[in-house]
């Protein structure tokens, strides 16, 4: 996506929940300031502690939000979230002007719209609809983080992994003759980082579910063949 006209940018902004009640003339003013960012797979968008001068909208592709730490001389990654087309990220540092709180990296080839703080804040101050939309984004992010913390604290790996695969089935899946094929674009190490587990532990659990007929594994893909049993595992262990 080498070029987008201001009209195309405005139409994209209009399709986002964040801007659904914003006046068209305000979006027309904002659109020229939105910069298209093209990323290849695994290319960073920003790093933790970078200056937060902008917010991003995913046009296509997906972006993972992570943090890293070194434990016993080993680098560990926590995957906080995966951002899909139409979703906004980078809003925390964008709003307060402080450092980034996490890393953002393209999971696959991506196109983003970048909204700079200096151009967006005047509209935010003037339009309450836009402020409310951004508040809704922040509230959903807090709810998601709270749920994740509770899962890690109170659920066994089997239940955490089952819940994560069920969520993937809802948002990142396609029909398959054997069931529900998950379009993840992540490996087992990254999947483990999303449920606070090692790659080996995730591999063992997936292998057990394969033996139990709950899913199939092939060429780096996961196909859920018995969603009801997976839902029972998540429900029974909560």
């Amino acid at each position: 996506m080498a070029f987008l006209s201001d009209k195309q940018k405005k139409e994209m902004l209009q399709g986002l929940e964040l801007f659904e009640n914003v006046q068209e003339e305000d979006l027309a003013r904002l659109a020229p300031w939105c910069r298209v960012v093209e990323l290849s797979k695994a290319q960073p968008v920003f790093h933790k502690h970078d200056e937060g001068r902008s917010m991003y909208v995913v046009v296509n592709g997906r972006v993972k939000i992570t943090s890293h730490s070194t434990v016993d001389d080993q680098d560990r990654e926590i995957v906080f979230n995966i951002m899909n087309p139409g979703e906004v990220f980078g809003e925390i540092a964008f709003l307060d002007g402080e450092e980034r709180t996490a890393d953002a990296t393209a999971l696959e080839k991506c196109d983003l719209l970048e909204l700079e703080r200096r151009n967006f804040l005047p509209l935010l101050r003037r339009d309450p609809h836009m402020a409310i939309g951004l508040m809704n984004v922040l509230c959903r992010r807090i709810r998601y983080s709270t749920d994740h913390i509770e899962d890690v604290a109170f659920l066994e790996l089997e239940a955490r992994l089952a819940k994560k695969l069920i969520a993937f089935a809802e948002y990142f899946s396609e029909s398959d003759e054997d069931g529900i094929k998950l379009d993840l674009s992540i490996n087992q190490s990254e999947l483990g980082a999303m449920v606070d587990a090692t790659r080996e532990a995730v591999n063992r659990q997936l292998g057990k579910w394969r033996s139990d007929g709950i899913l199939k594994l092939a060429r780096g893909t996961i196909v859920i063949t018995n969603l009801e049993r997976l839902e029972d595992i998540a429900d029974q262990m909560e």
Side-chain angles (χ1 to χ4, degrees), residues 7 15 28 41 48 51 59 70 114-115 125 168 173 205-206 208 214-215 218:
K7 180 181 178 181
K41 182 178 179 179
K48 186 174 181 177
E51 184 181 355
V59 178
T70 301
E114 181 182 15
L115 291 75
R125 294 188 182 102
F168 284 152
S173 65
Q205 187 60 62
L206 293 177
K208 181 179 183 300
I214 296 174
L215 51 79

Side-chain angles (χ1 to χ4, degrees), residues 150-160 163 234 237-238:
E150 288 183 346
D151 287 351
V152 171
F154 300 128
L155 299 183
E156 299 294 333
L157 170 60
E158 186 176 10
R160 299 200 306 269
K163 287 186 68 174
M237 301 188 71
E238 287 188 350

Side-chain angles (χ1 to χ4, degrees), residues 4-14 31-32:
L4 282 178
S5 67
D6 290 343
K7 180 181 178 181
Q8 289 173 311
K9 293 176 186 176
K10 181 171 75 72
E11 290 173 351
M12 284 187 175
L13 294 176
Q14 284 177 315

Side-chain angles (χ1 to χ4, degrees), residues 40-54:
S40 56
K41 182 178 179 179
Q43 184 176 348
V45 185
F46 53 73
H47 297 287
K48 186 174 181 177
H49 303 307
D50 283 353
E51 184 181 355
R53 294 178 297 183
S54 55

Side-chain angles (χ1 to χ4, degrees), residues 98-161:
E98 299 294 330
E99 296 179 344
R100 297 292 186 186
T101 59
D103 302 317
T105 308
L107 268 176
E108 55 202 16
K109 185 178 178 181
C110 290
D111 292 309
L112 311 175
L113 280 184
E114 181 182 15
L115 291 75
E116 289 198 17
R117 189 172 189 268
R118 61 182 178 178
N119 301 317
F120 184 83
L121 286 185
L123 293 179
L124 189 62
R125 294 188 182 102
R126 187 169 68 246
D127 193 326
H129 294 107
M130 193 179 298
I132 290 171
L134 193 52
M135 285 171 58
N136 289 336
V137 170
L138 290 169
C139 288
R140 277 198 302 274
R141 200 81 75 228
I142 292 171
R143 289 179 185 276
Y144 178 89
S145 298
T146 301
D147 288 343
H148 177 74
I149 292 170
E150 288 183 346
D151 287 351
V152 171
F154 300 128
L155 299 183
E156 299 294 333
L157 170 60
E158 186 176 10
R160 299 200 306 269
L161 187 55

Side-chain angles (χ1 to χ4, degrees), residues 28-43:
R29 293 189 190 99
L30 183 61
W33 299 106
C34 294
R35 185 172 70 93
V36 178
V37 179
E38 298 178 271
L39 299 170
S40 56
K41 182 178 179 179
Q43 184 176 348

